[in-house]
Amino acid sequence: MNFSSKLIENAVEAFASLPGIGRKTALRLTLHLVNQDLQNTEQFAEGILNMRRNIKHCTICFNLSDEAICNVCSDKRRDRSMVCVVESIRDVMAIEETSHYRGLYHVLGGLINPLEGIGPSELQIDSLLQRAADDEIKEIILAISPTIEGDTTMFYITKKLRDSSVKVSSIARGVSFGGELEYADEVTLGRSIVARMPYKLNNE
Amino acid sequence: MNFSSKLIENAVEAFASLPGIGRKTALRLTLHLVNQDLQNTEQFAEGILNMRRNIKHCTICFNLSDEAICNVCSDKRRDRSMVCVVESIRDVMAIEETSHYRGLYHVLGGLINPLEGIGPSELQIDSLLQRAADDEIKEIILAISPTIEGDTTMFYITKKLRDSSVKVSSIARGVSFGGELEYADEVTLGRSIVARMPYKLNNE
């Protein structure tokens, strides 16, 4: 693109450095800010800079947090006997949205991926094993995607916890509630039949 | 969405205030910045803030510019007898990309739109009429979209320039080069037949 202004070009480059934003979109965003008051752009930049400068990882569960300990870990009403292990903060948000889980979390910060040089020591796995050694914790729930990396990570964690007294479980997998069978993918449908469950009346 | 952190929420709100960016995308952009060095976010915010604080409108053509006079207006090699009138800076960029125009520009900053309260006085029309009064300028080229607002604006400018000595032209409209007739829209195809041109051999 042929910019008449170096300032515009720099702003477009800044936006285009974000994932999923191309140069055409970046230009549209830049011109949008030019057409707004200076104050708007200052608030925009402030919100993002302030977040990046002050955001912390919870020292217990490694969730993103404003304080040293996140509001899940510091919430006295949560069930402290369960720890749900997830890949990233996005999974924490997705599970919190459901309101079906009242335990604690542990954010690994990624999955074991030897091809990209990510081993257990790059992730929050040692800290998880330390937490699991605490008598208060009875169950570790693995809520990790069943990809190659996810399976490797679940296998590694489960193996490390084999001799411990905590119960290790994984979230249920199968055809989604409300999903029509014909639209379920083959792997999910096949595994759903193999891993069939006793049919319960009235959620008893 | 259920954010565990107020800082994250503020950053997501900032991104989501931009046009075409929803809250899911905003969260993805925010987490992208969290995973990068602080320096990256500072450069990002700096590029945008610096642009918004220092960007100017060229005092001659109202194109966006780093200086009081933009680099098109200050370029001595441009043909100063032609002024191409466009709606916004994006049109200037599109025309510059073609490398087929070596004259000057005039950016109106919008189109006449009575429904949204935009009249000629809200646009850079008076300044265009002043420029047109300069003897150096021989031709005004209207490169404005043929919408209701665009037609109104072109009609207004042409009427105001009726008694002046400048020639007023409009960019050619018709079926696009390389475009197949059956895919051209009816209005374009219909008007192309009415406004047919003598066929020239070898661009003579």
Side-chain angles (χ1 to χ4, degrees):
Chain A
M1 263 191 264
N2 194 332
F3 296 99
S4 61
S5 149
K6 191 74 193 157
L7 292 167
I8 294 284
E9 187 170 353
N10 290 345
V12 168
E13 297 293 344
F15 275 122
S17 74
L18 297 174
I21 295 192
R23 289 167 68 88
K24 284 230 166 179
T25 306
L27 177 64
R28 192 159 50 82
L29 299 179
T30 304
L31 295 181
H32 168 80
L33 290 178
V34 171
N35 290 331
Q36 306 270 310
D37 291 339
L38 171 60
Q39 210 194 334
N40 276 35
T41 306
E42 286 179 334
Q43 279 175 357
F44 170 77
E46 188 56 38
I48 289 162
L49 264 181
N50 194 28
M51 178 281 295
R52 187 60 190 84
R53 284 187 176 138
N54 299 307
I55 196 77
K56 296 172 188 68
H57 284 95
C58 171
T59 50
I60 300 176
C61 74
F62 302 95
N63 190 2
L64 289 177
S65 168
D66 297 355
E67 311 295 335
I69 293 180
C70 76
N71 37 17
V72 173
C73 290
S74 59
D75 187 342
K76 298 286 172 222
R77 293 164 304 172
R78 310 279 305 206
D79 181 348
R80 312 188 88 76
S81 70
M82 281 191 278
V83 173
C84 180
V85 180
V86 294
E87 181 183 346
S88 80
I89 177 188
R90 251 185 281 193
D91 302 324
V92 173
M93 289 176 60
I95 296 173
E96 284 295 285
E97 288 278 302
T98 70
S99 321
H100 270 66
Y101 179 68
R102 298 299 299 161
L104 305 178
Y105 290 96
H106 193 88
V107 181
L108 296 177
L111 296 173
I112 297 175
N113 189 343
L115 288 179
E116 295 199 3
I118 303 171
S121 55
E122 270 76 40
L123 306 173
Q124 294 301 340
I125 290 184
D126 282 344
S127 52
L128 172 66
L129 301 178
Q130 275 169 33
R131 286 182 80 184
D134 186 333
D135 282 344
E136 204 182 16
I137 289 171
K138 306 295 181 208
E139 185 172 358
I140 300 272
I141 303 167
L142 302 173
I144 294 175
S145 306
T147 55
I148 294 177
E149 293 80 19
D151 281 337
T152 310
T153 310
M154 288 194 275
F155 181 77
Y156 183 86
I157 293 173
T158 312
K159 211 172 157 192
K160 283 279 179 187
L161 288 171
R162 204 169 34 182
D163 300 330
S164 111
S165 61
V166 294
K167 183 177 153 194
V168 179
S169 59
S170 149
I171 56 167
R173 303 207 180 273
V175 177
S176 57
F177 289 91
E180 304 215 22
L181 286 202
E182 59 180 316
Y183 297 120
D185 65 284
E186 288 169 26
V187 176
T188 301
L189 189 54
R191 290 206 200 174
S192 294
I193 294 170
V194 174
R196 60 195 176 277
M197 302 180 291
Y199 186 70
K200 290 177 192 169
L201 289 171
N202 304 322
N203 286 325
E204 56 183 60
Chain B
M1 265 190 261
N2 193 331
F3 296 100
S4 60
S5 149
K6 191 75 192 156
L7 292 167
I8 294 285
E9 188 170 352
N10 291 345
V12 168
E13 297 292 345
F15 275 121
S17 73
L18 298 174
I21 295 194
R23 289 166 67 86
K24 285 230 165 180
T25 305
L27 177 64
R28 193 158 51 83
L29 299 179
T30 304
L31 295 182
H32 168 81
L33 291 178
V34 171
N35 290 331
Q36 305 269 311
D37 290 340
L38 170 59
Q39 210 194 333
N40 275 36
T41 306
E42 285 178 334
Q43 279 176 358
F44 170 77
E46 187 56 37
I48 290 162
L49 263 180
N50 194 29
M51 177 280 296
R52 187 60 190 82
R53 284 188 176 137
N54 299 308
I55 196 77
K56 297 173 187 68
H57 284 95
C58 170
T59 51
I60 300 175
C61 74
F62 302 95
N63 190 2
L64 290 177
S65 168
D66 297 355
E67 311 295 334
I69 294 179
C70 76
N71 37 18
V72 173
C73 290
S74 58
D75 185 344
K76 298 285 171 224
R77 293 163 305 173
R78 309 277 309 203
D79 181 349
R80 313 188 87 76
S81 69
M82 280 190 276
V83 172
C84 180
V85 179
V86 294
E87 179 183 348
S88 79
I89 177 190
R90 251 184 284 193
D91 302 325
V92 174
M93 288 175 60
I95 295 172
E96 284 294 285
E97 288 281 301
T98 70
S99 324
H100 271 66
Y101 180 67
R102 298 298 301 162
L104 305 179
Y105 291 96
H106 193 88
V107 181
L108 296 176
L111 297 173
I112 296 175
N113 189 344
L115 289 178
E116 295 197 3
I118 302 170
S121 55
E122 270 75 40
L123 306 173
Q124 295 300 340
I125 290 184
D126 281 345
S127 52
L128 172 66
L129 302 177
Q130 275 169 33
R131 286 182 80 184
D134 186 332
D135 282 346
E136 202 179 20
I137 289 172
K138 306 293 179 209
E139 183 172 0
I140 300 273
I141 302 168
L142 302 173
I144 294 174
S145 304
T147 55
I148 294 176
E149 293 81 18
D151 281 337
T152 310
T153 309
M154 288 193 276
F155 181 77
Y156 183 86
I157 292 172
T158 311
K159 209 170 159 194
K160 283 279 180 186
L161 288 172
R162 204 168 34 183
D163 301 330
S164 112
S165 62
V166 293
K167 182 177 154 195
V168 179
S169 59
S170 149
I171 55 169
R173 302 208 181 273
V175 177
S176 55
F177 288 92
E180 304 215 22
L181 286 200
E182 57 179 316
Y183 297 119
D185 64 285
E186 286 170 26
V187 177
T188 301
L189 189 55
R191 289 208 201 170
S192 295
I193 293 170
V194 174
R196 62 193 174 277
M197 304 180 292
Y199 185 72
K200 291 178 193 171
L201 290 170
N202 303 323
N203 286 324
E204 59 186 55

